[in-house]
Amino acid sequence: MAEALAIVPTYNERDSLALLVGRMRQAVPDVDVLIVDDASPDGTGRIADELAAEDPAVSVLHRAHKDGLGRAYLAGFQKAIEDGYRFVVELDADGSHDPLELRSMLPLAASGADLVLGSRWVPGGAVRNWPWLRQFVSRTGNGYARFMLRSRLHDLTSGFRVFRVDALKSLDLADVSSQGYCFQVELAWRAERAGMRVVEHPITFVERAAGRSKMHLGIVAEALLRVTFWGFTRARRRP
Ligand SMILES: Nc1nc2c(ncn2[C@@H]2O[C@H](COP(=O)(O)OP(=O)(O)O)[C@@H](O)[C@H]2O)c(=O)[nH]1
Ligand SMILES: [Mg+2]
């Protein structure tokens, strides 16, 4: 069995998913892939089933309805834990994260990092084809979270990462409250506060060529409110 499971959450990624899975299988053939689809109305779930039927390293978790990125990942983590994987990878279905980077990120996790964070906002990291508003939101959001949470991390919202499964297990996942992209902030911050080894690895994020972003104001608002609350109650929280 493979040591690593890559979890790919999908919602309406019909025109991106097959390409991404193909790139994954080529770049890191010994990593299994789990697609977590939230009953995408555009038929992404069917494409995922076809990919799984062609390749035993690919599997699909179908969820009943759109339930947010955080819950999709938690369901995927559960599977990784049950199936005994040592590492779990997070990456987007839309091609923004280059699977080739995993050739550097997985060895970092294998040599002792608990969490390897694919980071856009460290030297060597970059963003391509993002409108200025998205860049602004990401940069200021990360700066705000870093300050409020007294974090030393530069890309708390990054969705491209590798966790050591044993580290993930010790993070008390049942207690994770975020639903949207704030989930990424919550997990990275928990790992950091628990004293885990969190390593930032520079990545170039390339904006999707097909389909549409699921980012919306509610997701930004959730992150803003939670980070502000966590910041003010930080001293009284356990990791
Ligand atoms: N299963 C699931 N996947 C989601 C959900 N929201 C977003 N995603 C996936 O999360 C990844 C990142 O979303 P995207 O819209 O590209 O966000 P952006 O890159 O920040 O604009 C993509 O693979 C989406 O399909 C959700 O509610 N459920
Ligand atoms: Mg995207």
Side-chain angles (χ1 to χ4, degrees), residues 8-13 36-38 66-69 72 91-94 96 130 134 181 205 207-208 212-215:
V8 182
T10 54
Y11 190 75
N12 287 349
E13 300 291 1
V36 184
D37 185 64
D38 278 7
K66 182 160 170 33
D67 202 16
L69 191 69
L91 88 164
D92 291 354
D94 59 2
S96 290
W130 243 12
R134 276 307 299 267
Y181 301 14
F205 176 101
E207 178 53 333
R208 59 167 72 240
R212 289 176 57 176
S213 170
K214 280 90 218 173
M215 178 73 147

